Amino acid sequence: MSQIRIFDTTLRDGEQSPGCSMNLKEKIEIAKCLEAMKVDIIEAGFAISSPGDFESVNTIAKTIRGCTIASLARALEKDIDCAWDAVKVAADPRIHLFIATSPLHMEYKLKMSPEQVLERAAAMTAYAKKYCSNIEFSAEDATRSDREFLAKVVEVAIKNGANTINIPDTVGYTTPNEMRDLIEYLIKTVPNSDKAIFSLHCHNDLGMATANSLAGVLGGACQIECTVNGLGERAGNTSLEEVVMAMHTRPDIFEGITTNIDTTQIYRASSTVYNVIGQKAPLNKHIVGQNAFAHE
């Protein structure tokens, strides 16, 4: 039996969707829906990005007791310090740090060499580990990274204290076969891969975020990062309701794979999020749309 952790980032990545910003009261309302739905981890925000984001992460960490509460942080000491200050009051706090690993991002975004990225990943994971034991490391733009280099980064992150390794498809570029193959490669190649669980964070630019996430699970990943209604930057993130119900509905394919999600709470959470952002579900939206179970 394999338990898939559901990591909800509606309040962080979802809020980055144009026109979907939320105030503190609305974020608390959504966080309570996520808790009732029994998501495993709530990424409450990016604490250092603004005083308002810090306040919302900190308030959610104080309010929600039934989920792990995470804050995103760049691989910088000031970000990690701020993330910890925001989540340290949580029942189970998590620091989620990231650094880019693709040639394009390293050269033009970070202006760092691969060796510098490797050193930074090791040092900042160790720095975060001094605060808490629940550390997630993300290799931004992992699906466009050199595989051998990616494996080295993952190895040093685990060696320095990361117990969750996230493999993001940051620009929604990959396909299901590629994603499954990449997860299988990393689990097989990284010598200390058994010391961490592997996670997926897929974007929907080519309409394959759900398929890519499910393929990664079949490859051995044990955490899916997703958002209610698939909210997120550009074309959105993996949709929570889609991946959960796909695994729930098709045990013949996802044999022995389960989640903690209370599926009776999905519609309520979906409706709450749509109400908060002032939108309605498209009529043909999977799982939660008005026509999802309607027949002419």
Side-chain angles (χ1 to χ4, degrees):
M1 185 69 73
S2 180
Q3 184 78 44
I4 305 301
R5 300 179 190 178
I6 298 299
F7 176 114
D8 185 276
T9 185
T10 304
L11 299 175
R12 200 277 299 170
D13 209 337
E15 199 202 14
Q16 292 175 210
S17 180
C20 295
S21 59
M22 310 165 195
N23 62 37
L24 180 57
K25 181 181 177 182
E26 291 166 340
K27 288 183 178 182
I28 295 295
E29 183 182 8
I30 290 171
K32 288 180 177 178
C33 284
L34 298 174
E35 184 180 33
M37 193 164 48
K38 298 182 181 177
V39 305
D40 299 280
I41 303 104
I42 296 174
E43 186 166 55
F46 191 174
I48 202 168
S49 63
S50 70
D53 230 38
F54 179 92
E55 181 188 9
S56 64
V57 174
N58 186 244
T59 304
I60 290 166
K62 292 174 183 174
T63 305
I64 303 299
R65 312 312 288 174
C67 310
T68 297
I69 305 298
S71 175
L72 190 65
R74 293 167 297 184
L76 298 169
E77 289 185 2
K78 62 179 182 178
D79 279 42
I80 294 167
D81 292 341
C82 189
W84 175 245
D85 284 343
V87 299
K88 63 185 178 183
V89 294
D92 181 24
R94 173 181 292 194
I95 297 172
H96 178 195
L97 71 151
F98 72 96
I99 192 167
T101 56
S102 68
L104 197 65
H105 279 211
M106 288 189 291
E107 181 177 357
Y108 294 105
K109 181 179 178 180
L110 298 180
K111 294 180 171 54
M112 294 171 68
S113 69
E115 292 74 22
Q116 289 173 316
V117 168
L118 198 62
E119 290 171 7
R120 176 76 63 83
M124 291 301 99
T125 304
Y127 185 81
K129 189 71 173 182
K130 75 176 187 177
Y131 284 127
C132 68
S133 59
N134 195 342
I135 303 297
E136 177 170 341
F137 176 87
S138 283
E140 186 183 12
D141 208 21
T143 55
R144 297 194 298 173
S145 300
D146 175 80
R147 281 190 169 196
E148 290 184 7
F149 176 68
L150 180 62
K152 289 178 183 177
V153 174
V154 169
E155 181 181 354
V156 301
I158 296 172
K159 182 179 178 181
N160 285 277
N163 42 30
T164 300
I165 296 294
N166 185 42
I167 304 301
D169 185 28
T170 303
V171 295
Y173 173 80
T174 201
T175 62
N177 286 344
E178 289 175 312
M179 180 58 89
R180 179 171 182 169
D181 185 60
L182 178 59
I183 297 298
E184 290 175 339
Y185 167 82
L186 291 171
I187 291 173
K188 180 180 179 181
T189 304
V190 175
N192 53 0
S193 64
D194 61 323
K195 302 292 193 300
I197 73 160
F198 282 77
S199 172
L200 309 147
H201 180 109
C202 298
H203 281 264
N204 207 33
D205 298 73
L206 295 177
M208 290 188 282
T210 293
N212 288 335
S213 296
L214 294 171
V217 165
L218 293 175
C222 290
Q223 177 176 291
I224 296 176
E225 306 200 354
C226 47
T227 61
V228 176
N229 302 329
L231 291 185
E233 287 188 349
R234 305 183 313 278
N237 287 53
T238 300
S239 168
L240 181 150
E241 57 276 10
E242 291 175 20
V243 288
V244 168
M245 291 309 300
M247 291 185 287
H248 182 78
T249 305
R250 293 302 305 273
D252 54 324
I253 302 296
F254 301 96
E255 185 177 0
I257 292 174
T258 63
T259 73
N260 283 327
I261 297 296
D262 179 353
T263 59
T264 67
Q265 295 292 319
I266 287 176
Y267 185 77
R268 175 173 174 249
S270 172
S271 298
T272 299
V273 170
Y274 276 128
N275 287 337
V276 162
I277 63 174
Q279 297 180 19
K280 291 183 178 180
L283 292 178
N284 63 340
K285 174 74 172 74
H286 320 293
I287 313 302
V288 297
Q290 183 177 318
N291 289 355
F293 301 98
H295 300 272
E296 183 63 46

